[in-house]
Amino acid sequence: MLLLLSVLIPLLALSYFNHPSPADDYCYIDTVFKYSWLEAMNFYYSGWTGRYFGIFLNHSNPLIVHSIIGFKIWPVVLLSGFIFAFYSLFRHLTPTLSRAAHLGFAGVVFFLYILKMPSIVEGFYWMAAFVTYTVPNILTLFWVCVVLDWYRQDTKKMLLATLANFFVFAIIGSSETNLLIIFLLVAALWFYRIIFHRKIDGLMISLLIVTILSGYFLFSSPGNAARMGGNPMGGNVVFSVVSSFKKLAELSIGWITKTPLLIFSLAWLIVLSKISVGARNYFSMPVWFAVALYIGILAAQIVPSYFGVGIDPTPRVINCVYLFFLIGWFYVIGVVFHYFHQRYTGEFRLSFLRYGVLYSLLVLSIAFSFFRSANVKMIYSDLLRGKAAAFSRETNERYALIQNSKDAIVYLPPIKTRPISLYYDDITTNRGHWWNKCMAGYFGKEAIIMKETK
């Protein structure tokens, strides 16, 4: 719990100082005001991207009701949703453990995630990014829980199936990255049920149908072709696959060696040893299958960046990769442990001395990683040194300048204090820049321009 609170509290506090970003947040609602809600969504679907669920959420952002407070509430919802999703997942996988143990494990994963998360702002505070990555990531974790419930329960099957299919529809419509994740999970479900259980059921069939239809709806968008045509390396299969695995190897080495992951893995083995064989039922699958699915899901998230536009994945994409790296890491360890424990019946015991050594290493590793983490330093610095408060104050002053000005063209001072945890980008000195035009349109001005600075 202490680990969870050490990173959660400053992130929740930073939410109070969050604001809509000139980078895209105003554009969606400016388009709504100009063309209507439905026409605005059609405009983006036809001209830029097939991410229909992301389009829906972005065109429904709090600015549609002129709310700034909504941008302070959204991060709280996301952070709470993340922790609850972790908690629910581990509760389903290890049902015999206590609620405190489930919450503790959720806290460990969340702590590890924040330590090395590539972009805090893109994960929790910049709405244009988090609705297409963080939201579907949370829904994917809930999808796993719902599917497990469907096979475990004899009641509420229709409700659970409806939820599972809706999650697939929403996840696929959020981004190509999340489409590949859920596609592989649905394919893995089919493979596992057919090969190992010799069964096909109604949930499998409905999930397959919804997956195919949702994928078609995303890829048939005219906007996807426009985006993929921007780089000559886009569409190169060999380049995309090779680059993806190289990038994954590079990232994995850093995540393993620069966090307390290995020490927590040893602690996880001890926890697994306390669970009966019957209670480890959800870890009962072939090791090769779990490892192949794990590597496939990680690599598949990186492929769209190279295949679609021929460039390295953005930090918000790596946020997704790291999330499933952590969850999959602990799950695969559980599968491997279950496999060997069935064949080797001896107890996994540690002496009091060895427990003490492991505990000491764990504490030292946590403390070292916590105080060396760039993310931890950033969120505490932005909060305690007043950077977040200053950023919010300067942003509010700009709102006042716009609203109090009677001129058609408004010049705004640049934001001087730019906390990395909250600030993504800004308007420019070019009145024709897309973000300038969107902000001007939203506030009903002819132009909004950043003042030249010496």
Side-chain angles (χ1 to χ4, degrees), residues 116-407:
K116 293 295 290 182
M117 187 179 181
S119 176
I120 297 286
V121 63
E122 293 177 75
F124 300 116
Y125 300 106
W126 179 33
M127 184 163 184
F130 70 61
V131 300
T132 50
Y133 292 97
T134 305
V135 169
N137 286 342
I138 294 172
L139 295 182
T140 301
L141 301 184
F142 283 130
W143 178 85
V144 174
C145 297
V146 169
V147 170
L148 293 178
D149 274 340
W150 193 91
Y151 284 106
R152 187 177 63 182
Q153 298 182 11
D154 294 324
T155 60
K156 300 180 181 179
K157 281 190 173 290
M158 182 60 70
L159 174 61
L160 292 170
T162 301
L163 279 174
N165 282 287
F166 169 74
F167 288 156
V168 169
F169 174 78
I171 291 163
I172 289 176
S174 296
S175 72
E176 296 78 11
T177 298
N178 295 94
L179 175 147
L180 290 173
I181 295 171
I182 199 66
F183 175 83
L184 288 173
L185 289 174
V186 171
L189 175 64
W190 267 81
F191 183 89
Y192 187 82
R193 294 288 294 172
I194 291 176
I195 300 299
F196 300 110
H197 292 273
R198 300 286 193 266
K199 292 181 180 179
I200 296 178
D201 52 62
L203 180 63
M204 293 167 61
I205 295 171
S206 65
L207 288 173
L208 180 62
I209 292 172
V210 172
T211 299
I212 293 173
L213 291 177
S214 300
Y216 173 78
F217 193 39
L218 185 144
F219 285 116
S220 63
S221 160
N224 280 328
R227 293 176 68 199
M228 288 183 63
N231 191 301
M233 294 305 293
N236 187 323
V237 176
V238 175
F239 164 80
S240 302
V241 173
V242 172
S243 298
S244 297
F245 277 99
K246 288 174 63 177
K247 186 69 175 179
L248 178 58
E250 173 191 327
L251 292 169
S252 299
I253 291 172
W255 293 334
I256 293 171
T257 59
K258 296 181 180 179
T259 69
L261 181 61
L262 294 178
I263 303 297
F264 275 119
S265 298
L266 290 175
W268 174 228
L269 287 173
I270 295 174
V271 173
L272 288 168
S273 70
K274 307 297 183 183
I275 304 174
S276 65
V277 174
R280 293 199 305 267
N281 182 55
Y282 291 124
F283 296 98
S284 179
M285 68 166 58
V287 173
W288 66 265
F289 182 70
V291 172
L293 180 60
Y294 177 46
I295 296 174
I297 286 177
L298 296 181
Q301 295 177 74
I302 304 175
V303 168
S305 297
Y306 293 111
F307 184 79
V309 290
I311 60 174
D312 286 337
T314 61
R316 52 187 173 270
V317 171
I318 303 301
N319 284 349
C320 300
V321 181
Y322 184 42
L323 171 67
F324 288 98
F325 172 85
L326 288 174
I327 294 173
W329 175 275
F330 287 108
Y331 183 75
V332 169
I333 287 177
V335 172
V336 173
F337 178 87
H338 182 77
Y339 173 81
F340 283 105
H341 193 265
Q342 284 184 310
R343 287 153 180 79
Y344 174 68
T345 56
E347 294 188 22
F348 188 82
R349 289 184 176 180
L350 287 179
S351 64
F352 180 79
L353 176 61
R354 289 176 179 174
Y355 264 118
V357 171
L358 177 60
Y359 184 78
S360 299
L361 287 174
L362 191 59
V363 171
L364 291 173
S365 179
I366 290 171
F368 181 78
S369 300
F370 182 82
F371 290 108
R372 290 291 301 271
S373 170
N375 281 347
V376 171
K377 291 178 182 178
M378 175 187 68
I379 58 179
Y380 275 98
S381 175
D382 288 347
L383 188 63
L384 299 179
R385 294 187 178 182
K387 296 179 183 179
F391 164 74
S392 181
R393 183 171 58 253
E394 290 180 42
T395 304
N396 285 327
E397 290 171 355
R398 296 214 308 189
Y399 295 151
L401 284 173
I402 296 171
Q403 293 165 353
N404 295 332
S405 175
K406 296 181 180 179
D407 297 328

